Amino acid sequence: MKDVQKELPKHQIPIHRVGIKNLKVPIYISKMTGGEQHSVADVDVYVDLDKNSKGTHMSRLAIGVQKFIGHQLNKNVIVEIADYIKNKCDAKTCQIIYRFPYFIRQIAPVSKEPNIIHSDVEFNLTKNDSVNFDITVTTTATSLCPCSKDISEYGAHNQRSKIKLTARLDEKQFVWIEDLIHISNTSASCKIHSVLKRIDEKAVTEEAYDNPVFVEDIVRSCYQQLSKLDIKDFNVEVENQESIHTHEAYASIKKN
Amino acid sequence: MKDVQKELPKHQIPIHRVGIKNLKVPIYISKMTGGEQHSVADVDVYVDLDKNSKGTHMSRLAIGVQKFIGHQLNKNVIVEIADYIKNKCDAKTCQIIYRFPYFIRQIAPVSKEPNIIHSDVEFNLTKNDSVNFDITVTTTATSLCPCSKDISEYGAHNQRSKIKLTARLDEKQFVWIEDLIHISNTSASCKIHSVLKRIDEKAVTEEAYDNPVFVEDIVRSCYQQLSKLDIKDFNVEVENQESIHTHEAYASIKKN
Amino acid sequence: MKDVQKELPKHQIPIHRVGIKNLKVPIYISKMTGGEQHSVADVDVYVDLDKNSKGTHMSRLAIGVQKFIGHQLNKNVIVEIADYIKNKCDAKTCQIIYRFPYFIRQIAPVSKEPNIIHSDVEFNLTKNDSVNFDITVTTTATSLCPCSKDISEYGAHNQRSKIKLTARLDEKQFVWIEDLIHISNTSASCKIHSVLKRIDEKAVTEEAYDNPVFVEDIVRSCYQQLSKLDIKDFNVEVENQESIHTHEAYASIKKN
Amino acid sequence: MKDVQKELPKHQIPIHRVGIKNLKVPIYISKMTGGEQHSVADVDVYVDLDKNSKGTHMSRLAIGVQKFIGHQLNKNVIVEIADYIKNKCDAKTCQIIYRFPYFIRQIAPVSKEPNIIHSDVEFNLTKNDSVNFDITVTTTATSLCPCSKDISEYGAHNQRSKIKLTARLDEKQFVWIEDLIHISNTSASCKIHSVLKRIDEKAVTEEAYDNPVFVEDIVRSCYQQLSKLDIKDFNVEVENQESIHTHEAYASIKKN
């Protein structure tokens, strides 16, 4: 059977990234607190393509990901998948991205009612001669506006904030998803729960009012805390779904 | 050229709705305050299909919509489009839906700074022996939680609310988009602006704190106000993008 | 502590549905082929509210869902959750909706390469004096246009179809998710795989060309097959992401 | 009234970007073919913030955009808006992004039936000491798989492609949106129409079959054509919504 992908392309130009996006697979992952957690991931896989090949064999990318479905998802396994795919596709670089919700079990602040909350996580690994591994965690938290609080006789507008932290790691570095969630929560006005009884609602309302922050304050606090971790680079983005506007307020800082 | 659509289908079953979705077109529409407004709509068009035809001719649906692009969009024009399509497709029923953002010019409460805000509008018309016309308007407003206010020493959680009103009209009835936006805004804790100077921010913060409402209060207030309009039926849905949760709070009521 | 929710509302109007939307939780579910499968669900919960209560206690809805996270998700467990919530909220009706991806393990048609594919599933249960249970499964498949094939010298346009089947069950009826996926796949031009080697790609290309179907043909075939199941009612919707248009082609039929 | 934004922040760290996202406004823009076109844009505006200011005054960003709503949208006007905002916010850099659908009037290939089609456009301008202006146009087209065609007895899978071209311009350079749409259409298997009569459907089916392309072929053809324009840099991304998979096929190349 003819291998059209191997033919010479009309325009002999090397391609930076070719691959597949949004392949959905079940995963499981170890938790900082011990044990494992099941989730569902959307996966992207890319390889480079030299100038003399018309196409890559995309089925090999999907096979690579699916071969490792039985394994716990972590950096080492993603490196293994990347090596498998690089080898099968004759590529110099392979980039693999997993995006999935990650659940945290917590207790409400006063009633101690147990509740579960999720953050959105992305593992983004690039393997060529070396390994680059980015972990991105987007945590939802409450922010309360310092200006609104200060200038108003009473009350203060507050809203959902999406706090997105990316830690860029070299081959020896490591962070827990939980570490990044903690940095986000402690930079916001108050952390979020999925169950709040009335005594808890009173507590979070007052805590948020006691800790007003702009998007600017949140990114600076995250920057400050991320600077103390042993990581190569990082990026911080915050988006406030303003309760007094239809548009979002936004701030970002990156290190390097 | 063979007309495959006219062939007898394998299973001779009449089809309720067949058509096209998400055809994007430019539109213009008259404003309550006079003059016209340009916008962009996503359009769905459906016809029924009798049990003896394998398929409808979908190009005729798209042609029908595009033939009337130069016309001001209103109920009468949509009836004309529906009649054109019913005729071309030999259908008993034609349903046409336009979804588009609609802009309102307003001024900030204290500084009087002009600003523009949009609501999401849907015109949903069904033409068979009679005409049914639904207008749906989704307005964003601020809601502040009465429970949080009452039980807390200070502060109160508040957030964006999406208030969705549907007015169902018979052939003689009429409402302005602006009427539905007004009902939504006066049922929430405070209306929303796209520009608020500090003196305005103080005003809306305090206004929201003075008018706390649950999702339940919002739907009831909308119900009360919609009951006074000369319309056949209506539906109310409210979704609060809770600042203290990742999930939404929701309430709905319908008349008939 | 004051119970604001129990106060008399300003407008004493009963509310059809009040609750929470998009609460994300981990789930597991039994498979037709034996064993269990983990997934992640977005959950909505609604209760009715009598005219004399200002608000429902929404935390009880979230607690109800989370109390049962350790249990296998099925109709009986959702009835238990609904009973728990009805009781805690003093409600006559409780509706609970779970939306989640469901994975199927399959093999490529010729190479027999194993691969995993997902359908989107919704469990929608309403409990009042009786139980109504809707299962909706949205399956992606390939459709190839009979008209394009017939009138063209060679080739035929084809595309992704989203086939959405809802089976409405009374208290004694049952269907497997796999049953609905099977009906969808056998009504399309060809089923979809996540891994296809070249010999498989040849097979599915030819199979699709041999089985051209309009959206109308797909809904009629699904109707025909669903009619043979022991279920109360059903609904069929098909959306074709046309390769030759930016808009979608659509058809739907419902029984009752 | 206190100006909280001007206070010294807790962590004195400069912020790269702070601003607003998704402010919806009506726009109009000149067409290559003469005349003007109305549309609706989502606008993001960012400024930098020095380390000694707690916050920027976000209302000034929204005021800047709205002050120029009556003007035709083009590079010069966006520079004016950016200068206005830089000045009001005491910023060194201002970035402004407009995202909007842009309509093209065209005729079906054989029947000459007029029809309208849209591409998604982004104007992304950064003003500091100099001006950088990126135009991104995402065009939908048909792609037909060369491998599927070659190895199959008959037929070939084909699908919607999203072709996204970004041209990066320095202060003197210019491209029309229409130029980028033309490059995308001529790199795909066939361009897309919103109305196709049967004689047109035959034509596009056969044209696509005669011009099979991988995502890799499309990005290379776009690269080749973009290289001939007088522009500083560019980026090409193509995503195929595979008719035989639930995942997307993807390729990208960038120049510099």
Side-chain angles (χ1 to χ4, degrees):
Chain A
M1 186 171 280
K2 205 165 135 192
D3 192 346
V4 184
Q5 278 83 352
K6 289 234 169 132
E7 290 174 8
L8 205 63
K10 186 172 169 198
H11 304 293
Q12 291 164 51
I13 302 165
I15 296 180
H16 299 89
R17 296 205 306 173
V18 49
I20 60 175
K21 288 180 77 167
N22 297 318
L23 176 66
K24 205 179 276 293
V25 297
I27 60 162
Y28 66 94
I29 174 172
S30 76
K31 295 186 287 181
M32 192 181 75
T33 51
E36 286 170 341
Q37 175 175 135
H38 291 268
S39 191
V40 167
D42 284 305
V43 186
D44 304 343
V45 184
Y46 306 112
V47 290
D48 61 299
L49 184 67
D50 69 276
K51 65 176 189 170
N52 295 318
S53 300
K54 185 173 167 71
T56 201
H57 291 89
M58 301 230 182
S59 64
R60 296 172 189 175
L61 281 56
I63 290 172
V65 171
Q66 298 192 29
K67 238 182 212 332
F68 291 83
I69 281 180
H71 298 238
Q72 190 196 78
L73 186 74
N74 56 43
K75 193 173 88 168
N76 291 341
V77 165
I78 305 176
V79 170
E80 271 190 81
I81 302 172
D83 280 332
Y84 174 92
I85 289 170
K86 276 180 61 184
N87 187 43
K88 288 284 181 192
C89 292
D90 234 338
K92 288 196 221 79
T93 297
C94 179
Q95 179 184 17
I96 302 181
I97 303 171
Y98 281 81
R99 288 179 298 277
F100 56 92
Y102 182 82
F103 294 99
I104 297 283
R105 291 185 181 277
Q106 53 187 27
I107 53 170
V110 184
S111 72
K112 307 304 176 194
E113 185 75 31
N115 69 89
I116 198 169
I117 201 88
H118 76 281
S119 290
D120 292 312
V121 176
E122 185 181 295
F123 285 174
N124 185 336
L125 184 141
T126 301
K127 177 82 201 301
N128 34 44
D129 296 333
S130 64
V131 171
N132 190 83
F133 187 44
D134 288 2
I135 299 183
T136 298
V137 178
T138 304
T139 300
T140 308
T142 305
S143 65
L144 183 138
C145 178
C147 172
S148 171
K149 174 183 171 177
D150 239 33
I151 63 182
S152 305
E153 298 282 321
Y154 38 75
H157 75 79
N158 52 79
Q159 53 268 318
R160 273 192 205 161
S161 296
K162 298 279 179 184
I163 305 174
K164 185 177 181 179
L165 306 186
T166 300
R168 182 156 294 180
L169 308 176
D170 69 24
E171 309 215 12
K172 304 247 166 105
Q173 295 169 329
F174 180 81
V175 290
W176 287 103
I177 294 169
E178 285 83 350
D179 293 329
L180 299 179
I181 293 173
H182 180 75
I183 290 175
S184 296
N185 279 332
T186 54
S187 300
S189 296
C190 190
K191 74 186 268 193
I192 267 183
H193 292 265
S194 60
V195 172
L196 291 171
K197 295 195 160 185
R198 270 174 299 142
I199 41 172
D200 303 309
E201 189 172 353
K202 172 178 161 57
V204 299
T205 300
E206 294 171 0
E207 186 184 337
Y209 195 81
D210 288 333
N211 294 290
V213 284
F214 286 134
V215 280
E216 293 95 330
D217 294 314
I218 301 174
V219 293
R220 279 168 166 148
S221 165
C222 291
Y223 184 103
Q224 188 70 7
Q225 293 187 65
L226 286 165
S227 298
K228 293 176 187 159
L229 296 185
D230 175 29
I231 55 179
K232 214 166 47 168
D233 288 322
F234 57 81
N235 193 53
V236 180
E237 286 187 279
V238 176
E239 198 171 302
N240 271 11
Q241 297 169 357
E242 299 288 287
S243 65
I244 58 166
H245 293 303
T246 55
H247 60 260
E248 278 70 59
Y250 174 91
S252 67
I253 320 188
K254 57 181 157 185
K255 182 166 160 273
N256 298 1
Chain B
M1 187 172 278
K2 206 165 138 190
D3 192 347
V4 184
Q5 278 83 353
K6 289 233 169 132
E7 291 174 7
L8 206 62
K10 185 173 170 196
H11 305 292
Q12 290 165 50
I13 304 165
I15 297 181
H16 300 88
R17 295 204 307 173
V18 50
I20 59 175
K21 289 180 76 166
N22 298 316
L23 176 65
K24 204 180 278 293
V25 298
I27 61 163
Y28 67 94
I29 174 172
S30 76
K31 294 185 289 182
M32 192 181 76
T33 52
E36 286 171 341
Q37 175 176 135
H38 292 268
S39 191
V40 168
D42 284 305
V43 187
D44 304 343
V45 184
Y46 307 113
V47 291
D48 61 300
L49 184 68
D50 70 275
K51 65 177 189 169
N52 296 319
S53 300
K54 184 173 167 70
T56 200
H57 291 90
M58 300 230 183
S59 64
R60 296 171 190 175
L61 282 56
I63 289 172
V65 172
Q66 299 191 28
K67 237 180 213 333
F68 291 82
I69 280 179
H71 298 237
Q72 190 196 77
L73 186 74
N74 56 42
K75 193 173 88 168
N76 292 341
V77 166
I78 305 176
V79 171
E80 271 190 82
I81 303 172
D83 280 332
Y84 175 91
I85 289 170
K86 275 180 62 185
N87 188 42
K88 288 286 180 189
C89 292
D90 234 337
K92 288 195 222 80
T93 297
C94 178
Q95 180 184 18
I96 303 181
I97 303 170
Y98 282 81
R99 288 180 298 277
F100 56 92
Y102 182 81
F103 294 98
I104 297 284
R105 292 184 181 277
Q106 53 187 27
I107 53 168
V110 184
S111 71
K112 307 304 176 194
E113 186 73 30
N115 69 88
I116 198 168
I117 202 88
H118 75 280
S119 291
D120 292 312
V121 176
E122 185 180 295
F123 285 173
N124 185 337
L125 184 141
T126 301
K127 177 82 201 304
N128 34 45
D129 296 334
S130 64
V131 170
N132 190 83
F133 187 44
D134 288 2
I135 300 185
T136 299
V137 178
T138 304
T139 300
T140 308
T142 305
S143 66
L144 184 138
C145 178
C147 172
S148 171
K149 174 182 172 179
D150 239 33
I151 62 180
S152 305
E153 298 282 322
Y154 38 77
H157 75 80
N158 53 78
Q159 53 269 317
R160 274 192 206 160
S161 296
K162 299 280 180 184
I163 305 173
K164 186 177 181 178
L165 306 185
T166 299
R168 181 157 294 179
L169 308 176
D170 69 24
E171 309 215 12
K172 304 248 167 107
Q173 296 168 328
F174 180 81
V175 292
W176 286 104
I177 294 168
E178 285 83 349
D179 294 331
L180 299 179
I181 294 173
H182 181 75
I183 290 175
S184 296
N185 280 332
T186 54
S187 299
S189 296
C190 189
K191 75 186 265 196
I192 267 183
H193 293 264
S194 61
V195 173
L196 290 171
K197 296 194 161 185
R198 269 174 299 141
I199 42 173
D200 304 309
E201 189 172 352
K202 172 178 160 58
V204 299
T205 301
E206 294 171 358
E207 186 184 338
Y209 195 81
D210 288 335
N211 295 290
V213 284
F214 287 134
V215 280
E216 292 94 331
D217 295 313
I218 302 174
V219 294
R220 280 168 167 147
S221 166
C222 291
Y223 183 102
Q224 188 70 8
Q225 293 187 64
L226 287 165
S227 298
K228 294 174 186 161
L229 297 185
D230 175 30
I231 55 180
K232 212 165 50 167
D233 288 323
F234 57 81
N235 193 52
V236 181
E237 285 187 280
V238 177
E239 197 171 304
N240 272 10
Q241 298 170 356
E242 300 287 287
S243 65
I244 58 165
H245 293 303
T246 55
H247 59 259
E248 279 71 60
Y250 174 92
S252 67
I253 319 188
K254 56 181 159 186
K255 183 168 159 270
N256 298 4
Chain C
M1 187 172 277
K2 209 166 135 189
D3 192 346
V4 183
Q5 277 83 353
K6 289 232 168 134
E7 291 174 8
L8 205 63
K10 187 174 170 194
H11 304 292
Q12 291 165 50
I13 303 165
I15 297 180
H16 299 88
R17 295 205 307 173
V18 50
I20 59 174
K21 288 181 76 167
N22 296 318
L23 176 66
K24 204 178 278 292
V25 297
I27 60 161
Y28 66 94
I29 175 174
S30 75
K31 296 185 288 181
M32 192 181 76
T33 52
E36 286 170 342
Q37 173 175 135
H38 292 267
S39 191
V40 168
D42 284 305
V43 186
D44 304 343
V45 185
Y46 306 112
V47 291
D48 61 300
L49 184 67
D50 69 275
K51 66 177 188 169
N52 295 318
S53 300
K54 185 172 167 71
T56 199
H57 291 90
M58 301 229 182
S59 63
R60 296 171 189 174
L61 281 56
I63 289 172
V65 172
Q66 299 192 27
K67 239 183 211 332
F68 291 81
I69 281 180
H71 298 235
Q72 191 196 77
L73 187 74
N74 56 44
K75 192 172 89 167
N76 291 342
V77 165
I78 305 177
V79 170
E80 270 190 83
I81 303 172
D83 280 332
Y84 174 92
I85 290 170
K86 275 180 62 185
N87 188 43
K88 288 284 180 189
C89 293
D90 234 338
K92 288 195 221 81
T93 297
C94 179
Q95 180 184 17
I96 302 180
I97 303 170
Y98 282 79
R99 291 180 296 277
F100 56 93
Y102 182 81
F103 294 98
I104 296 284
R105 292 184 181 279
Q106 53 187 27
I107 53 168
V110 184
S111 72
K112 307 303 177 197
E113 186 73 30
N115 69 89
I116 198 168
I117 202 89
H118 75 279
S119 291
D120 292 312
V121 176
E122 184 180 296
F123 285 174
N124 185 338
L125 183 141
T126 300
K127 176 81 201 302
N128 34 45
D129 296 333
S130 63
V131 171
N132 191 84
F133 188 44
D134 288 2
I135 299 184
T136 299
V137 178
T138 304
T139 300
T140 308
T142 305
S143 66
L144 184 139
C145 178
C147 172
S148 170
K149 173 182 172 178
D150 239 34
I151 63 182
S152 305
E153 298 283 321
Y154 38 77
H157 75 81
N158 51 79
Q159 54 268 316
R160 275 193 205 160
S161 297
K162 298 278 180 185
I163 306 173
K164 186 176 179 179
L165 306 185
T166 298
R168 181 156 294 181
L169 308 176
D170 69 25
E171 310 214 12
K172 304 248 167 105
Q173 295 168 331
F174 180 81
V175 291
W176 287 103
I177 295 168
E178 285 83 350
D179 293 330
L180 299 179
I181 293 173
H182 180 75
I183 289 175
S184 296
N185 280 332
T186 54
S187 299
S189 296
C190 188
K191 75 186 265 195
I192 268 184
H193 293 263
S194 60
V195 172
L196 291 171
K197 295 193 162 188
R198 268 173 299 141
I199 41 173
D200 304 309
E201 189 172 351
K202 172 177 160 60
V204 299
T205 301
E206 294 170 359
E207 185 183 338
Y209 195 82
D210 287 335
N211 294 290
V213 284
F214 287 133
V215 280
E216 293 94 331
D217 294 313
I218 301 175
V219 293
R220 279 168 166 146
S221 166
C222 292
Y223 184 103
Q224 188 70 8
Q225 293 187 66
L226 286 165
S227 299
K228 293 175 187 161
L229 296 186
D230 174 29
I231 55 178
K232 213 166 49 168
D233 288 322
F234 57 80
N235 194 53
V236 181
E237 286 186 279
V238 177
E239 198 171 304
N240 272 9
Q241 300 170 356
E242 299 287 288
S243 66
I244 59 166
H245 294 303
T246 56
H247 59 259
E248 278 72 58
Y250 174 91
S252 67
I253 320 188
K254 55 182 158 185
K255 180 165 161 273
N256 298 3
Chain D
M1 187 171 276
K2 208 164 135 191
D3 193 346
V4 183
Q5 278 84 352
K6 288 232 169 136
E7 290 174 8
L8 205 63
K10 186 173 170 195
H11 304 292
Q12 290 165 48
I13 302 163
I15 297 181
H16 299 88
R17 296 205 305 175
V18 49
I20 59 174
K21 290 181 74 167
N22 297 318
L23 176 66
K24 203 178 278 295
V25 297
I27 60 162
Y28 66 94
I29 175 174
S30 76
K31 295 186 288 181
M32 192 180 77
T33 52
E36 286 169 343
Q37 174 177 136
H38 292 268
S39 190
V40 168
D42 285 305
V43 186
D44 304 342
V45 184
Y46 306 112
V47 290
D48 61 301
L49 184 67
D50 68 275
K51 66 177 187 170
N52 296 318
S53 300
K54 185 173 167 69
T56 201
H57 290 90
M58 301 228 182
S59 64
R60 297 173 189 174
L61 282 56
I63 289 172
V65 171
Q66 299 191 29
K67 238 182 212 333
F68 291 82
I69 281 180
H71 298 237
Q72 190 196 77
L73 186 74
N74 56 42
K75 191 172 89 169
N76 292 341
V77 165
I78 305 176
V79 170
E80 271 190 81
I81 303 172
D83 279 333
Y84 175 91
I85 290 170
K86 274 180 63 184
N87 188 42
K88 288 284 180 192
C89 293
D90 234 338
K92 288 195 221 80
T93 297
C94 179
Q95 180 184 16
I96 302 180
I97 303 170
Y98 281 81
R99 289 181 297 278
F100 56 92
Y102 182 81
F103 294 98
I104 296 283
R105 291 183 182 280
Q106 53 187 25
I107 52 169
V110 183
S111 71
K112 307 303 176 196
E113 185 74 30
N115 69 90
I116 198 168
I117 202 88
H118 75 281
S119 290
D120 293 311
V121 176
E122 184 180 296
F123 285 174
N124 185 338
L125 183 141
T126 301
K127 176 81 200 305
N128 34 45
D129 296 333
S130 63
V131 170
N132 190 84
F133 188 44
D134 288 2
I135 300 184
T136 299
V137 178
T138 305
T139 300
T140 308
T142 305
S143 66
L144 184 139
C145 178
C147 171
S148 170
K149 174 181 173 179
D150 239 34
I151 63 182
S152 305
E153 298 282 323
Y154 39 77
H157 75 80
N158 52 77
Q159 53 268 318
R160 273 192 207 161
S161 297
K162 298 280 179 183
I163 306 174
K164 186 177 181 178
L165 306 185
T166 299
R168 181 157 294 179
L169 308 176
D170 69 24
E171 309 215 11
K172 306 247 165 107
Q173 295 169 330
F174 180 82
V175 293
W176 286 104
I177 294 168
E178 285 83 350
D179 293 330
L180 299 179
I181 294 172
H182 180 75
I183 289 175
S184 296
N185 280 332
T186 53
S187 299
S189 296
C190 189
K191 76 186 264 194
I192 267 182
H193 293 262
S194 60
V195 173
L196 290 170
K197 295 194 161 186
R198 270 172 301 140
I199 40 171
D200 304 308
E201 189 173 352
K202 171 178 161 58
V204 299
T205 301
E206 294 171 358
E207 186 184 336
Y209 195 82
D210 287 333
N211 294 289
V213 284
F214 287 134
V215 279
E216 292 95 330
D217 294 313
I218 301 174
V219 294
R220 279 168 166 146
S221 166
C222 291
Y223 183 103
Q224 188 72 7
Q225 293 187 67
L226 286 164
S227 298
K228 293 176 187 160
L229 297 185
D230 175 29
I231 55 178
K232 213 165 49 168
D233 289 322
F234 57 81
N235 193 52
V236 180
E237 286 187 278
V238 176
E239 198 171 302
N240 272 11
Q241 298 170 355
E242 300 286 290
S243 66
I244 58 166
H245 294 303
T246 56
H247 59 259
E248 278 71 59
Y250 175 90
S252 67
I253 320 188
K254 56 181 158 189
K255 178 162 161 277
N256 298 4

